[in-house]
């Protein structure tokens, strides 16, 4: 049998993605590799940066409108959260939900068991009326188990996580989720709006260098897990606004001609000075883009809540 994909000895989960990305032209690495333990901690730090307006803006929208959002979603709700992580913003909705109904079920879904354990433990302690059933899964392929949940579901997809995916991929993800829902179920989608690069770029290239450290941790992770020898000082964090595609693009730019060896992949990679390796897209939506991805994935937009400056939107859509 002819096979084009090499087999790897170590850490197969990330090895084939890394091999594919580093041998491609132009080079790239997938954004999902950001989130090892160190990377998740760095992302938590990003969410507290003054320049990273996304988290606090979405939180303020949820705080101001939680009651209305939940009433609009329907009565006797079961909450599901895609990519829940530690579910910190979710507690705003949970707290309000438990004012509207005495008991609730919460299904956080995430690839990280440790983040889920933390969320389940904290929320279980804080809210006696809440039952937390964690699901360890990569929601991008759909979550078949969702179709077995009885009662009305509200699926939370907040934090602008959808922004990492190219719109056709975002539509496929939403469609797979939609297939596990029933009429009357709802989706709450949090997305960042397109705006001036004067506001966007500092959020992705902060003065404190936390985003740079977050980006370079991808290389540190390859050093740790694949025994690679990336020199973190020899790469520079770059953030660009691509207006045509309505996205912020993140790169690691090689500061010199250099080569890097990844013994576990039996791979020697050459970088030219100035060569950029793509690590992330962060799509910034217009209202038209939101309407279109929801429509194309089988949802109907019902209501939108946003902050005073129209920087961030929280959208309720119905099956
Ligand atoms: C977790 C995808 C919402 O795109 O704003 C933050 C990730 N990358 N700074 C985003 C991220 C660099 C973040 N999301």
């Amino acid at each position: 049998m002819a096979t084009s994909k090499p087999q790897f000895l170590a850490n197969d989960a990330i090895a084939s993605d890394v091999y594919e990305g580093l041998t491609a032209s132009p080079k790239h690495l997938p954004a999902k590799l950001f989130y090892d333990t160190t990377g998740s901690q760095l992302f938590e730090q990003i969410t507290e940066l003054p320049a990273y307006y996304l988290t606090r803006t979405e939180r303020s929208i949820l705080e101001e409108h939680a009651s209305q959002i939940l009433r609009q979603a329907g009565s006797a709700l079961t909450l599901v959260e895609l990519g829940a992580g530690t579910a910190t913003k979710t507690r705003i909705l949970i707290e309000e939900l438990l004012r509207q109904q005495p008991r609730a079920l919460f299904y956080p879904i995430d690839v990280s068991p440790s983040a889920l354990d933390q969320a389940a433990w904290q929320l279980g302690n804080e809210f006696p009326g809440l039952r937390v059933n964690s699901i360890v899964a990569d929601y991008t392929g759909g979550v078949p188990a969702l179709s077995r949940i009885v009662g009305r579901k509200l699926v939370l997809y907040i934090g602008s996580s959808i922004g990492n995916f190219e719109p056709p991929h975002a539509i496929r993800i939403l469609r797979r989720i939609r297939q596990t829902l029933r009429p009357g179920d709802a989706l709450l989608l949090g997305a960042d709006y397109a705006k001036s690069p004067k506001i966007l770029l500092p959020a992705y290239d902060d003065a404190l260098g936390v985003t740079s450290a977050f980006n370079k941790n991808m290389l540190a992770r390859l050093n740790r897990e694949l025994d690679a020898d990336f020199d973190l000082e020899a790469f520079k964090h770059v953030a660009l606004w691509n207006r045509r595609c309505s996205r912020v693009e993140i790169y690691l730019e090689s500061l010199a001609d250099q080569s890097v060896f990844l013994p576990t992949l039996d791979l020697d990679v050459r970088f030219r000075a100035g060569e950029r390796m793509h690590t992330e897209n962060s799509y910034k939506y217009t209202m038209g883009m939101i309407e279109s991805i929801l429509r194309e994935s089988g949802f109907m937009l019902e209501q939108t809540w946003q902050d005073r400056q129209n920087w961030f939107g929280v959208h309720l859509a119905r099956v």
Side-chain angles (χ1 to χ4, degrees):
M1 186 185 74
T3 169
S4 55
K5 271 212 170 157
Q7 296 292 301
F8 303 110
L9 294 173
N11 212 338
D12 226 41
I14 75 168
S16 53
D17 284 342
V18 171
Y19 186 92
E20 195 269 310
L22 292 181
T23 54
S25 178
K27 297 183 184 66
H28 55 87
L29 287 169
K32 64 179 180 196
L33 293 188
F34 282 135
Y35 301 96
D36 66 351
T37 309
T38 309
S40 301
Q41 283 165 0
L42 286 165
F43 180 66
E44 288 299 313
Q45 288 182 38
I46 288 175
T47 65
E48 287 160 21
L49 291 169
Y52 194 78
Y53 61 87
L54 288 82
T55 309
R56 64 183 142 81
T57 306
E58 185 179 46
R59 184 184 297 120
S60 75
I61 297 167
L62 295 177
E63 273 166 356
E64 192 172 338
H65 302 289
S67 163
Q68 209 206 340
I69 290 169
L70 292 169
R71 281 177 210 284
Q72 181 72 29
S75 55
L77 289 175
T78 288
L79 293 183
V80 173
E81 182 169 10
L82 308 180
T86 51
T88 42
K89 270 169 290 170
T90 318
R91 56 183 5 94
I92 301 164
L93 292 171
I94 291 171
E95 206 179 344
E96 178 58 33
L97 184 62
L98 291 173
R99 276 197 278 267
Q100 298 185 6
Q101 60 190 60
R103 274 178 302 279
L105 283 165
F106 176 45
Y107 292 85
I109 305 171
D110 204 278
V111 284
S112 165
S114 60
L116 285 177
D117 283 349
Q118 191 187 329
W121 191 85
Q122 284 181 354
L123 293 170
N125 270 335
E126 199 175 330
F127 303 108
L130 189 73
R131 213 180 123 158
V132 184
N133 296 321
S134 302
I135 303 178
V136 180
D138 173 0
Y139 65 79
T140 59
V143 186
L146 291 186
S147 59
R148 293 196 294 272
I149 298 175
V150 291
R152 190 197 295 276
K153 295 186 280 297
L154 171 62
V155 177
L156 310 174
Y157 194 15
I158 57 178
S160 184
S161 307
I162 188 119
N164 269 164
F165 305 102
E166 299 186 3
H169 190 191
I171 291 167
R172 283 200 300 279
I173 294 169
L174 291 177
R175 198 177 282 151
R176 286 181 189 126
I177 295 300
R178 157 77 184 74
Q179 278 162 1
T180 57
L181 304 182
R182 278 187 287 271
D185 288 347
L187 169 77
L188 192 69
L189 180 69
D192 197 21
Y193 286 131
K195 60 181 70 65
S196 163
K198 291 201 183 86
I199 299 155
L200 286 169
L201 288 177
Y204 292 87
D205 193 4
D206 63 280
L208 295 172
V210 184
T211 310
S212 170
F214 173 74
N215 199 7
K216 288 188 183 189
N217 175 60
M218 183 101 80
L219 303 180
R221 181 175 183 185
L222 302 192
N223 288 350
R224 286 190 292 268
E225 296 186 24
L226 297 175
D227 217 16
D229 61 355
F230 281 99
D231 174 4
L232 272 55
E233 306 278 282
F235 287 86
K236 174 174 99 173
H237 168 72
V238 175
L240 300 176
W241 169 236
N242 182 333
R243 199 191 135 132
R244 191 175 55 85
C245 299
S246 201
R247 67 190 188 204
V248 173
E249 300 170 350
I250 306 286
Y251 297 88
L252 288 162
E253 180 178 315
S254 177
L255 293 172
D257 288 330
Q258 55 178 320
S259 67
V260 176
F261 183 49
L262 294 95
T264 51
L265 307 186
D266 191 22
L267 180 65
D268 228 334
V269 188
R270 275 167 217 287
F271 289 88
R272 286 174 287 98
E275 180 178 350
R276 285 176 182 166
M277 174 164 65
H278 180 259
T279 51
E280 187 177 37
N281 288 325
S282 191
Y283 279 86
K284 304 303 169 189
Y285 279 85
T286 61
M287 206 54 215
M289 289 163 70
I290 295 282
E291 278 161 6
S292 120
I293 62 161
L294 287 172
R295 184 175 357 94
E296 290 191 44
S297 56
F299 286 99
M300 262 170 8
L301 179 60
E302 220 171 73
Q303 198 169 338
T304 295
W305 294 268
Q306 49 204 23
D307 59 296
R308 288 245 172 92
Q309 304 181 94
N310 294 356
W311 279 3
F312 199 98
V314 173
H315 310 272
L316 187 77
R318 187 80 56 187
V319 172

